[in-house]
Amino acid sequence: MKYLKTIVAILVISLINLTIISCKDAKKENTQDSIVHSEMNHNKMDKSNNMMDDNSQNSGVQKVLADYMILKDALVETDKNKAAKAGDKLNNTLSKFEINGFTVEQQKELKDIITDAKEHAEHIGRSEIDHQREHFKTLSKDIMDIVAITGTKNTLYQQFCPMYDGGSAWLSLNKEIKNPYYGSKMLKCGKVQKEIN
């Protein structure tokens, strides 16, 4: 009988120990699961925040490019008034360009580029056609620099006219050359320098 009591006592103690150990393991597993789950949620949030940043960044660039293309087309048509309106609109769009989603270094670069681009867009808004084209040359360089930092959803074609002011580039959505520096005088003067994706 004494022997039986000892065995029962050992079994009870073993059972209690097993229960304690399994509870600790379950608690540990739950803790690890919650850590993993928390990390996964954090990663999902990071990705969705990055997607939101990417979308807002892309949206800003798309608006700038849309206004730039309207300006370019107005210069191709040698339409001073249309170019002036497009310059004013581009200036306004550049003023609203959101740079917060970029790195500190990119923000600094973008701020400088945008300040310069706005100045040229503003001049285009109140100048004669020849002067508009002079400012368009530097503005085009600024827009290319913005795209180099931000990227673009659209395929762009960097085109180049060797005749205007020692050589001048611009961006287009089409491969076909329509020269904004000379308009109908030399509409097809130029070549595609590179494709930007």
Side-chain angles (χ1 to χ4, degrees), residues 50 53-54 56-57 97-114 146 148-150:
N50 286 341
D53 286 347
D54 287 349
S56 64
Q57 288 169 5
F97 191 88
E98 186 55 57
I99 62 172
N100 288 338
F102 297 93
T103 67
V104 174
E105 189 177 313
Q106 288 173 329
Q107 286 182 30
K108 185 183 179 318
E109 285 181 63
L110 283 168
K111 199 178 276 188
D112 291 343
I113 296 165
I114 289 168
I146 289 171
I149 293 170
T150 64

Side-chain angles (χ1 to χ4, degrees), residues 8-177:
V8 169
I10 290 173
L11 284 175
V12 168
I13 291 172
S14 297
L15 186 60
I16 290 172
N17 281 338
L18 279 175
T19 305
I20 291 170
I21 289 170
S22 68
C23 283
K24 281 184 181 177
D25 284 348
K27 190 174 181 180
K28 193 176 184 180
E29 244 177 61
N30 285 344
T31 303
Q32 285 177 340
D33 282 351
S34 67
I35 289 170
V36 168
H37 186 70
S38 172
E39 285 176 1
M40 285 171 59
N41 280 344
H42 185 68
N43 288 341
K44 281 180 190 173
M45 283 172 54
D46 281 351
K47 283 180 184 174
S48 70
N49 284 342
N50 286 341
M51 281 172 54
M52 281 170 48
D53 286 347
D54 287 349
N55 287 339
S56 64
Q57 288 169 5
N58 244 316
S59 170
V61 174
Q62 295 311 110
K63 288 175 185 171
V64 167
L65 285 172
D67 290 349
Y68 171 85
M69 295 302 166
I70 291 167
L71 172 58
K72 175 196 62 90
D73 291 344
L75 293 174
V76 167
E77 295 165 17
T78 314
D79 188 332
K80 177 188 91 126
N81 294 331
K82 191 173 174 185
K85 284 180 186 171
D88 288 339
K89 189 167 188 298
L90 178 56
N91 183 21
N92 189 37
T93 302
L94 286 163
S95 297
K96 295 175 183 173
F97 191 88
E98 186 55 57
I99 62 172
N100 288 338
F102 297 93
T103 67
V104 174
E105 189 177 313
Q106 288 173 329
Q107 286 182 30
K108 185 183 179 318
E109 285 181 63
L110 283 168
K111 199 178 276 188
D112 291 343
I113 296 165
I114 289 168
T115 299
D116 191 59
K118 283 176 58 186
E119 186 179 319
H120 291 288
E122 186 181 337
H123 277 284
I124 290 168
R126 51 186 164 88
S127 299
E128 294 303 313
I129 194 80
D130 290 341
H131 202 50
Q132 287 176 329
R133 286 179 168 140
E134 288 171 19
H135 285 286
F136 182 73
K137 176 178 179 168
T138 311
L139 176 66
S140 292
K141 170 80 171 83
D142 290 334
I143 300 299
M144 288 176 216
D145 289 344
I146 289 171
V147 169
I149 293 170
T150 64
T152 176
K153 282 183 180 178
N154 302 89
T155 297
L156 300 173
Y157 299 94
Q158 183 176 314
Q159 299 177 336
F160 182 78
C161 170
M163 303 292 287
Y164 185 81
D165 192 28
S168 303
W170 72 94
L171 291 174
S172 178
L173 292 169
N174 304 303
K175 274 187 180 178
E176 183 187 359
I177 301 294

